[in-house]
Each structure stands twice: as structure tokens, then as C-alpha cells.
Amino acid sequence: MTFRVAVAPLLLLSGAVSAQVAAPPPPAKQAPDAGMPALAPWDKPPIKGVWSDATQTPDARAKALVAAMTTDEKHTLVFGYFGTDFPISRYIAPKAALEGSAGYVPAILRLGIPAQFQTDAGVGVATQGGAKVKRGRTALPSGLAIAASWDRDVARAGGAMIGDEARRSGFNVMLAGGVNLLREPRNGRNFEYGGEDPVLASSIVAQQVIGIQSNHVVSTIKHYAFNDQETDRNTGNSVIDHSAARVSDLLAFQLAIEQAKPGSIMCSYNRVDGTHACENTWLLTDVLRRDWGFKGYVMSDWGAAHSTVAAATAGLDQDSGFPFDSKPFFGRPLREAIDQGTVKPAQLDLMVERILYGMFAQGLFEHPLQQQPIDMVGHAAVTRAAAEAGTVLLKNARNLLPLTASAKRIAIIGGHADKGVLAGGGSSLVYPAEGNAVPGIAPTFWPGPVMYYPSSPMAEIQRQAPGAVVRYADGNDPAAAAALAKDSDVVIVFATQWAGESFDVAMALDGKQDALIDAIGDANRNTVVVLETGGPVMMPWLDKVGAVLAAWYPGTAGGAAIANVLTGKVNPSGRLPVTFPRGVDQLPDPAVPHSGDVVYREGATVGYKWFDAKAFKPLFPFGYGLSYTQFAGSGLKAGVANGAITARFQMRNTGARAGAAIGQIYVSPVAGGWEAPKRLGGFAKVALAPGASKSASVTVDPRLLATWDEAGQQWRIAGGAYRVMLGTSAADIVQTVTVTVPARTMPATWRAR
Ligand code: BGC
């Protein structure tokens, strides 16, 4: 979006985001005009044809419908409007758009083509900041928190819940499914994505999309591709070796798209190899269509289109979010291009066919929208369970957690924990039904408002510990906080990092919280730190505190979820979906995210792969997380069938509480030759009663054993011995077996099943 673009550069790497808000650009003199055709009114029943027959395939229906459409109708479908008034541009959203929504594409009544009502995003039904009325909805924990659950069922249930809210709110397109690989821990949007590993991220995001689409709502996997930082996101140029790309970021997209079959893909703001993603033939046609066989449509991010002929020819199907592009590229300019022959009518047909395919495949024609009440109570239970599943216990010295009845004086410090829990900022922000628990924190508009969901961890802790005295200090006065800590049996510090769209962050807590925690740790070693962050942060105070919980942005029931984990009502079973580095000097590029060319020198050596390759010891490794019980993995066996490795193993709960273990299967060629010593091949989450034991099996997709042969445009598996490892994290391998895998090449179009 134009306005978002104007703000972004001023907010980079800010500990000081609060103070810096750009002045809006002067109002445009004229209301923008897209030059779209006005369709003749139609008050008769829609004309019927092959496309009306739900027993036909989506392909056949889409083709038949395109053949019945007029040119003006085709143009109508490839052009999307912002759904919210935008006074700076004198833009008034179409009357039929839903108030405060992200996007709208008009219906074609003559043929019964429904309007597309588009809403953000991954944690629930968002409302645009500029909207006068905010719709109160349920927010899931952040995408990264869901990935931390390592639980496909949790991801699918969350997707199904927010997809239901989308449909009941009148939306049939949800701009959800962020799967950009977490390469840069300082990326302000990491919280919207699925972490640093292609297998984990794709498995989780695919299930979320499947859940959303189970409501006959198109989901939109995004932001394709290499949009891995917010700094200079509109013109920045990501440069990566194509072989490395295929086994890292692109693999995350490929596996997610293959599993979930999203109706749509959103191309990103940035350039890739010098060409904007939304007019990049390599990304949109060679990789997405030719190799992956994607049949839905590509929509541009809001303001990410930069041309008409180049974009249409490269594979962009729908130009979104008018008026945020510098011109309405798929408005009047596309009609002119067709008239002049620079875009062929057959290309327009193809664009329309893909949009209709996505709509037919998800049942949009058969399931007309109707706004309906939402089961807010039932949905609160879904988001609370997701937050509980994604909470990661990082440290628990002397079994400080769960809290015991002997904790009679409990101090709660900071993070507005007396009122609520933090959310991430930007277009994905969901407004809660009860309003912001801590209104007024700057920035109060884009990419704000800084939002605290009214779900107070403190209130819930007090409720669950009626006999304890629970006292609160806001942490603004470290000496007062330390004095309260000293006078308490246990101290729980809530530490925050606000991240959001359009700015990057430091890999640290905001403001002076590190010094605060340090002082509290000095005052009382029974200190628990609860982190509410967008991603990894450094913890210079780690040795001084007893316990640390990563709660991420935990969603609208986050306070109850955190309390349930602290009190032991819930046994934490999350594992890190991202490496927590000790410091920025351990990152591939320690310098802050910068403008211009962003050269991915580390190639596919992302996250734990980088740490493995460099033999760096992180603060906490990928895959790591503690429990209130203990597990033992054993009996690892692996076999090879049809070129795929299957590993089987047992997990046993050796402790006294029920809990869930996550068996992580890593693979590694004995002869080396990969970007890193090992890759995650798959994982299984196993719920276990005390003393119980279960077996699990994990099949490793053959592409996880391959490298990409760019010259031959194929996957290539080197024959030989491969280690198959059972780990509790990337840094803790408990058992290894070796198998022999035959040499093999697979075409670019190869897919599982
Ligand atoms: C974001 C997208 C979002 C769109 C519509 C853009 O600024 O990058 O993720 O879907 O706005 O709000």
C-alpha cells in the first residue's frame, strides 16, 4: 500500500518505533480512476451453462465460463479494489465492499459469478486500520507460535476456526498462509510465518490453509517469494542462487502448495534477481506453473504490481488493492494493451480461467456468503488450545515451574500482564471484540495500533491461585520492581517485543527490559520470564533467572493459555521453530537489514543449518523445548522403499505427568555435499501418559534427500549411505542409523503421491 510504503523506511530497526511516525503525503487532487468498464445492470436470474454443473471438474467449469464471458466481464475479474476508504488518495471503496476489508472484486451477476470479498490474514479476520468500525474477532496465536506447536492438528483446527469466522463475516477469500522462510531473525513479519525449516513451515502452513479452505474460502499462500525482511521491501532486490532457492525458501512454498492446494498465491513486494516478484517469469511461470503445476491464480500484494504487459505475461492473474499501485495496471492500461495487441486476448482468458478455477475448486459458487453469528466462546477455546500447544519452555531450573502451592507471594512485573497480551502489528492485526486492553501506545496508526488483547495472565493466575497474594509492578521503575521481587516467593516477568509489517526489529526485547530483568534476577532467583515476541531475542540475563517461557504473540485467549502453562494445568509441548542465536554476530549477515540488493550469501544454509555448518552454539537450538515430564526416544530403525526413507521409533514418557514428545527425524549424507550437515526430514508429535510408550513413523520426502540440478532442471539424489537421526532438537541427536539410498534423478515436476 502506498501509505504503508511511505511509513516503512522511517521505522527500520527501531527500538524507537513508538516515536517515529511519518507525516502522511499531501492529499491527491483527484479521486483515482481505474478506468474499469461499467457492466450493464442485470436483474434476471443468472444464465446457466456447463459452469453451473457442480459435477463437472473445476477445469471444465472454468473453461466453459470463460467462453461465455464478454471482454468487459473478463476485465472485471482481474482487477481488485481496496475494501476500505483511503482519504489520502481521495479513494472511496466500492459500496458493495465490506467495510474495513482488504479487498473486493465485483460479482458478474449475468453469469452467477460471486463477488470476491477478501480479508487478512493468518491469525484471523483482520480489519484495516483506516476503518471507522473494527470487527471484533478471534485471533489465533501468531503463525510462528502455531509452528512452535509442531502439531498439524492444531494448525488445521486454527485454520478451520478463522476460515469459519471469515465466511460468517461475509468473506470468501482469506489472505492467509504466510510461509516465507525465517532467514533473518530481525524481519518484522517473522511472526506471520512458519519458521526457518521448509518441512516444518510447509507442514504447518499447509494444514492451516486446508482448515481455512474447508469453509469454502479461498486461502492465499504468500508472500511469494524471498520477501524476508521489511526494510526496503518495495524495491529491495533478493538475490539467491537458484539451486539454493529450490531447497530452501521455494521448497517451503512448494511443499505447502502441494499439500494444501490453495486457491491463490500472493506475489510479494520485493524484486528477485532484479525483477519484481509480481512480474517475475521465473517465479510465476517457470517454477510455479511449469514445475509445480499450480492451477489457481496469482494475486499481487497491495501495491506490488509494477507493470501491465510484463506482469500479465509473466503470470500475474489478478491485480489487487487499487489504488495502491502507482497505476491501475490491470485497469485501463490492460484494456489498452489488449487493444494494441501487446497482451494477447488469450492471456486475459488464461488469467480469468485461473481465477475461476480457484473459485470453483473451493466451492465459492455453490456456497454463497451469508453473514452469520460467530461462536466466540467455542473459538476462544480453539485459540487458547493453540496458544498452549505453541508455548515453549526454554529453561526450568530447579523445577521452578509449574508454580506450586508454596508460592504464596507472586509478583507479576511488566508487559501489561495485568491487562492483556501483545499482538503483532500491520495488515494482519485482528481486533478483539472487547477492544484494546492498553489503548494509546504509539504508534496508534499504521503499522499500529500497538494492540494488547484483553486476556490478562495476571487475572488468570490469581484465579488459579486463590490463596496467593498476587501483586503487580509495571516495570517502569526497576528499583521498585526489584523491591517487589525481593519480597516475593516467585516473580513472573512479562517481556515484550512489538513487531509488525513495514518495519524490521532488533533481535532484542524493546526498550530497557533487559536491564529490568537483570535487576529482578539479582533480587530473586525464582524469576520466571514469559516472552511475548515476534521471533528470537537475545537474553543477556538468562543465567540470572530460573525459568523462561516463549509465548510469542499468543492470541485473544493468550493470558489464560500462559497461566495454564505456568500453573501446570497444561504441560508445555512446543518446540522452537527457529534457532535463538546468542547474538547477531552468529547470523549470516550481522549488519542490520539494509536497502537495495539483499544477497543471500548463505544460500540454503538457513537457521540451524547455518549453525551446524559453522559449528556455532546457539542460545537455544531449533527443535528445542522442555516439558514438565521427561521422554526417552529409542528403537530407531530406518528403511528405504521407492527411494523414500521411512524411520520408525518409540517415544516413552519416563516422568510422572502426561505430556507430548516430538520425535524429529534429521537426515544427512555420509559423504556430505549438502548445504549443511543435516536437514529435518520429518517429525511426529506423540501424546503420552506417564510411563506410556508409543511408536511413531516418519517418511522423508525424496526431495529432502536431493540437491537441485539447475543445469538439468531436476532433483538429483546422490547414491550412497545416509544417516537417519532421531533428535529432540537440531543440537541433540539421541540415535543414529545408516541406510543406503540409490542414486536417482527426478524431474522438476515430481511430487509426492
Ligand atoms: C500485506 C499483505 C496483505 C495486504 C492486504 C499488504 O500490505 O503485505 O500481507 O494481505 O496488505 O491488506
Side-chain angles (χ1 to χ4, degrees):
M1 298 178 47
T2 310
F3 181 47
R4 299 174 180 187
V5 174
V7 177
L10 298 177
L11 291 167
L12 306 180
L13 286 174
S14 50
V17 273
S18 50
Q20 300 178 342
V21 179
K29 291 208 174 57
Q30 279 190 329
D33 170 24
M36 291 301 289
L39 299 180
W42 185 264
D43 51 13
K44 290 181 268 198
I47 294 170
K48 296 226 188 275
V50 172
W51 62 88
S52 327
D53 178 358
T55 64
Q56 299 282 330
T57 63
D59 294 271
R61 297 175 76 185
K63 279 200 170 49
L65 187 44
V66 172
M69 290 170 78
T70 65
T71 304
D72 281 356
E73 286 167 346
K74 292 174 189 172
H75 280 285
T76 302
L77 228 55
V78 300
F79 191 76
Y81 297 85
F82 189 40
T84 305
D85 294 351
F86 198 60
I88 292 164
S89 302
R90 297 171 59 97
Y91 169 76
I92 306 290
K95 275 201 183 58
L98 290 180
E99 163 70 12
S101 70
Y104 168 72
V105 178
I108 299 172
L109 300 177
R110 189 179 75 87
L111 296 165
I113 302 175
Q116 294 161 63
F117 294 96
Q118 304 167 326
T119 181
D120 287 302
V123 298
V125 178
T127 303
Q128 293 287 327
K132 284 175 218 80
V133 179
K134 309 289 197 296
R135 43 176 77 70
R137 293 293 181 268
T138 310
L140 285 169
S142 63
L144 198 58
I146 301 282
S149 74
W150 293 61
D151 192 326
R152 294 174 177 91
D153 295 341
V154 163
R156 200 174 47 254
M161 183 272 281
I162 62 172
D164 175 72
E165 292 205 2
R167 170 157 282 279
R168 286 168 182 273
S169 305
F171 295 104
N172 53 9
V173 179
M174 195 162 207
L175 310 172
V179 74
N180 294 75
L181 219 54
L182 199 161
R183 286 182 171 264
E184 170 52 80
R186 295 163 293 189
N187 174 10
R189 292 188 92 171
N190 282 335
F191 71 94
E192 294 190 50
Y193 303 134
E196 72 187 25
D197 179 78
V199 171
L200 176 64
S202 61
S203 305
I204 296 296
V205 173
Q207 290 304 317
Q208 180 182 30
V209 170
I210 289 169
I212 291 170
Q213 295 197 152
S214 69
N215 295 283
H216 307 294
V217 169
V218 164
S219 192
T220 304
I221 283 189
K222 66 187 189 182
H223 303 90
Y224 185 65
F226 308 103
N227 182 184
D228 301 326
Q229 62 174 49
E230 289 300 277
T231 304
D232 194 23
R233 68 173 177 174
N234 296 285
T235 48
N237 179 32
S238 304
V239 181
I240 182 168
D241 168 76
H242 286 195
S243 298
R246 294 280 188 152
V247 298
S248 57
D249 304 56
L250 291 184
L251 187 59
F253 277 95
Q254 180 177 13
L255 297 177
I257 292 168
E258 199 169 295
Q259 288 163 40
K261 301 186 180 54
S264 178
I265 304 293
M266 186 189 290
C267 52
S268 55
Y269 284 122
N270 53 297
R271 291 180 293 150
V272 178
D273 297 337
T275 304
H276 273 287
C278 291
E279 57 188 53
N280 192 306
T281 305
W282 175 58
L283 285 177
L284 301 186
T285 295
D286 301 351
V287 175
L288 184 67
R289 306 266 176 207
R290 186 194 64 196
D291 294 349
W292 300 351
F294 176 64
K295 289 167 82 172
Y297 60 105
V298 175
M299 65 164 72
S300 53
D301 200 343
W302 274 228
H306 294 273
S307 61
T308 301
V309 179
T313 318
L316 177 65
D317 302 310
Q318 193 175 64
D319 182 7
S320 314
F322 174 76
F324 293 116
D325 292 334
S326 60
K327 282 190 194 154
F329 292 109
F330 283 12
R332 184 181 292 113
L334 181 62
R335 296 163 75 196
E336 289 167 359
I338 301 257
D339 289 346
Q340 290 157 9
T342 47
V343 172
K344 301 245 165 354
Q347 184 70 43
L348 178 63
D349 286 357
L350 193 57
M351 291 152 66
V352 173
E353 189 182 319
R354 289 161 170 170
I355 295 166
L356 292 171
Y357 176 90
M359 295 171 72
F360 280 125
Q362 299 314 323
L364 266 51
F365 284 68
E366 280 68 52
H367 299 272
L369 291 163
Q370 201 189 348
Q371 296 202 31
Q372 281 174 329
I374 292 171
D375 174 11
M376 296 302 279
V377 174
H379 290 185
V382 175
T383 185
R384 198 202 62 236
E388 289 164 355
T391 303
V392 186
L393 179 63
L394 294 174
K395 178 173 181 179
N396 196 16
R398 309 178 305 280
N399 292 330
L400 184 55
L401 291 176
L403 299 173
T404 60
S406 64
K408 290 281 175 240
R409 293 168 307 157
I410 302 175
I412 309 276
I413 298 174
H416 300 285
D418 57 333
K419 302 218 167 64
V421 288
L422 185 58
S427 61
S428 68
L429 181 67
V430 171
Y431 288 77
E434 308 83 359
N436 194 343
V438 191
I441 302 176
T444 51
F445 65 98
W446 181 261
V450 176
M451 170 70 70
Y452 280 82
Y453 291 137
S455 175
S456 159
M458 176 169 167
E460 187 60 25
I461 289 166
Q462 177 73 84
R463 210 179 62 75
Q464 291 189 36
V469 176
V470 182
R471 292 175 293 175
Y472 181 73
D474 64 14
N476 289 330
D477 176 349
L484 174 64
K486 221 184 177 87
D487 187 42
S488 300
D489 301 321
V490 64
V491 187
I492 309 170
V493 188
F494 287 81
T496 57
Q497 175 206 46
W498 186 66
E501 182 182 341
S502 81
F503 63 100
D504 290 324
V505 292
M507 196 176 66
L509 296 173
D510 292 338
K512 296 183 178 153
Q513 295 177 92
D514 282 335
L516 173 70
I517 300 171
D518 209 87
I520 293 167
D522 280 340
N524 190 334
R525 65 185 204 133
N526 289 339
T527 292
V528 179
V529 178
V530 178
L531 298 169
E532 291 172 28
T533 68
V537 290
M538 294 178 287
M539 302 179 210
W541 34 260
L542 185 60
D543 291 343
K544 294 191 180 176
V545 305
V548 182
L549 268 186
W552 319 103
Y553 299 141
T556 38
I562 291 170
N564 286 346
V565 172
L566 289 170
T567 60
K569 218 169 147 179
V570 168
N571 189 352
S573 64
R575 304 287 185 269
L576 290 181
V578 53
T579 306
F580 274 49
R582 284 177 187 276
V584 292
D585 52 330
Q586 290 187 321
L587 300 177
D589 188 354
V592 294
H594 57 83
S595 303
D597 285 353
V598 180
V599 182
Y600 292 9
R601 292 204 174 75
E602 74 281 10
T605 318
V606 177
Y608 65 91
K609 294 170 183 164
W610 172 260
F611 280 73
D612 274 358
K614 296 284 168 191
F616 287 161
K617 197 174 162 356
L619 192 59
F620 294 108
F622 173 82
Y624 173 84
L626 302 171
S627 166
Y628 297 150
T629 186
Q630 294 82 41
F631 303 103
S634 65
L636 177 66
K637 291 193 181 60
V640 181
N642 303 324
I645 295 177
T646 297
R648 286 176 222 288
F649 53 92
Q650 277 84 49
M651 298 299 299
R652 194 155 71 86
N653 183 345
T654 58
R657 276 173 185 264
I662 296 167
Q664 302 165 33
I665 294 296
Y666 294 89
V667 287
S668 161
V670 172
W674 284 359
E675 71 282 359
K678 65 176 184 291
R679 298 173 178 166
L680 181 71
F683 59 92
K685 189 163 186 172
V686 188
L688 291 165
S693 176
K694 270 188 203 157
S695 49
S697 85
V698 167
T699 298
V700 182
D701 187 306
R703 288 166 295 188
L704 265 301
L705 303 176
T707 51
W708 177 257
D709 166 9
E710 180 64 13
Q713 292 288 298
Q714 62 188 348
W715 298 102
R716 189 178 283 282
I717 300 179
Y722 285 74
R723 283 186 210 98
V724 179
M725 295 166 274
L726 173 63
T728 66
S729 78
D732 179 35
I733 301 302
V734 296
Q735 250 194 309
T736 301
V737 295
T738 304
V739 294
T740 304
V741 176
R744 179 178 181 191
T745 56
M746 298 177 289
T749 52
W750 193 92
R751 64 189 56 120
R753 291 178 300 276

